[in-house]
């Protein structure tokens, strides 16, 4: 298992700026482009996976287009939801890269289960979380 990554304040500010630019660049974004909290989380996960080199953005775009095309062809019975397609596209590209394999998920599950119960991971957090780097003596 790899060591946790620590980011400095400038790095976090730059990441927030990039996400803000992406959100503001969405068509008809308005003041609130996300109707539900999970939509923002799906968006952020896709951006974070791209930023961490898990896939090329063009791969994600093609997967998103394919998901929407299948829905338009009548293969989807659910009502229209852009971020449902966003999530389907994210799952598809991550699965193609092996990030959703049983072994990868088992390792992540072990990590989550090893987190103490009082870590508040069961509560919704709407604000960005910043973790200060560890101080060395």
């Amino acid at each position: 298992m790899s060591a946790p990554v620590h980011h400095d304040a400038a790095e976090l500010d730059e990441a927030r700026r990039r996400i803000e630019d992406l959100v503001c660049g969405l068509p008809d974004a308005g003041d609130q482009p996300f109707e539900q909290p999970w939509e923002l989380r799906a968006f952020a996960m896709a951006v974070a996976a791209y930023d961490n080199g898990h896939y090329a953005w063009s791969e994600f775009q093609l997967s998103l287009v394919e998901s929407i095309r299948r829905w338009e062809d009548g293969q989807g019975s659910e009502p229209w939801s852009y971020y449902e397609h966003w999530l389907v596209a994210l799952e598809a590209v991550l699965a193609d890269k092996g990030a959703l394999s049983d072994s990868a998920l088992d390792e992540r599950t072990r990590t989550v289960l090893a987190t103490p119960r009082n870590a508040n991971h069961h509560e919704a957090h709407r604000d960005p979380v910043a973790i200060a780097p560890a101080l060395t003596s």
Side-chain angles (χ1 to χ4, degrees), residues 26-49:
L26 290 173
D28 300 322
D31 291 331
Q32 179 93 17
F34 306 105
E35 292 179 15
Q36 300 293 325
W38 72 264
E39 296 172 338
L40 175 58
R41 290 184 189 107
F43 178 85
M45 285 189 303
V47 172

Side-chain angles (χ1 to χ4, degrees), residues 108-121:
R108 183 66 185 131
T109 300
R110 281 191 291 278
T111 302
V112 169
L113 291 176
T115 304
R117 296 185 128 233
N118 61 353
N120 294 329
H121 61 274

